[in-house]
Structure formats: C-alpha cells, structure tokens
Amino acid sequence: WGSYFEYLSSWNKYADDENVMTITYEELKENRVLGVKNIAAFFGISLTEKELELVVERSSFQSMKKNSQKTHGAFGNILFRKGDVRDWKNLFSEDQNEKMDKAFEEHIAGTKLGRKLKYEVYCKV
C-alpha cells in the first residue's frame, strides 16, 4: 500500500491550509466526544446533544468493527483489528522498533505532521 512516510510527507505541505484538519487516532481514542465536537466545528456543523451522542456511539471502534464487513468488505477484519493505541509495542521486536524510529526521524520528524504524531504516539505513553 506504499510508504507510510511518503504518504505523510505528501500531506505535510497542506498541514497549515485552513481547509485541512489534522487529528490522530490517539486523540480520538483519548476523548471521542471532544474529537467529534472539533470535527463538527471544523465543518461548521452544529450538533444537538442527541446527534453528538449518536455520532460518538457509532464512531466507537467496537461499533465500526461490528459493521466492518458491510463498510469495508474483505478488508474489514484487517483494518479493524484491536483498536488499541501503542499496540505496536506488542508486535515489534526491539530491532524493528529501532528501525521504525530511525525511519521516522529521517523522513518526517521535522515536519508539522511528524511532530504531532511523535507527540501523540511516542510521548503520551
């Protein structure tokens, strides 16, 4: 599916555009209600409390995983695995972790998106 770092690098040039909002999975996982409110505000949509509750419930990992076959077909089970943050620690060997850190530093650490990701993924442990 291509290089994660090339993908992020290609988007970094748009990070400061007024019509681009960056949000991480970690941010949404930490406070989905605030995340939904921020996304709605970004799009200029006002939500009633009932609508907010509905979006928050339907955007939960568990809800999306349950519907993943309908929404994403055969890729549903691949894309919606656990929903945990920092689960890479359970999957990567120490060597793989070091290689990923090195690639991150080389490709995107100095970019706006890279700094945001590093903070969210690595620093909020």
Side-chain angles (χ1 to χ4, degrees):
W1 293 359
S3 167
Y4 172 68
F5 299 114
E6 287 176 16
Y7 171 78
L8 284 179
S9 293
S10 69
W11 273 100
N12 194 65
K13 61 186 166 200
Y14 305 108
D16 290 323
D17 289 3
E18 67 181 38
N19 64 340
V20 173
M21 176 187 181
T22 59
I23 191 164
T24 63
Y25 182 74
E26 289 77 10
E27 287 175 280
L28 291 172
K29 195 70 172 157
E30 187 175 306
N31 190 336
R32 199 167 58 251
V33 172
L34 180 60
V36 170
K37 285 181 179 180
N38 288 340
I39 293 167
F42 177 77
F43 284 109
I45 299 170
S46 60
L47 298 173
T48 65
E49 280 301 311
K50 186 171 177 83
E51 291 169 327
L52 176 64
E53 288 175 22
L54 186 62
V55 172
V56 168
E57 185 275 317
R58 288 186 180 174
S59 65
S60 74
F61 182 83
Q62 294 77 13
S63 178
M64 291 189 297
K65 182 176 176 108
K66 187 173 103 180
N67 293 311
S68 67
Q69 291 294 315
K70 284 191 279 183
T71 59
H72 293 78
F75 289 109
N77 288 334
I78 295 167
L79 294 173
F80 295 91
R81 205 172 54 83
K82 285 185 178 180
D84 295 337
V85 295
R86 295 171 204 77
D87 191 45
W88 57 268
K89 292 178 181 184
N90 298 319
L91 301 173
F92 280 18
S93 68
E94 188 62 34
D95 182 54
Q96 289 170 320
N97 184 40
E98 288 174 16
K99 286 178 183 174
M100 185 63 128
D101 284 346
K102 183 179 178 189
F104 185 94
E105 289 297 323
E106 287 175 3
H107 296 281
I108 61 169
T111 67
K112 182 175 182 176
L113 293 177
R115 287 189 296 274
K116 181 177 181 117
L117 285 171
K118 185 168 188 159
Y119 175 74
E120 291 295 330
V121 177
Y122 292 100
C123 298
K124 290 180 107 178
V125 176

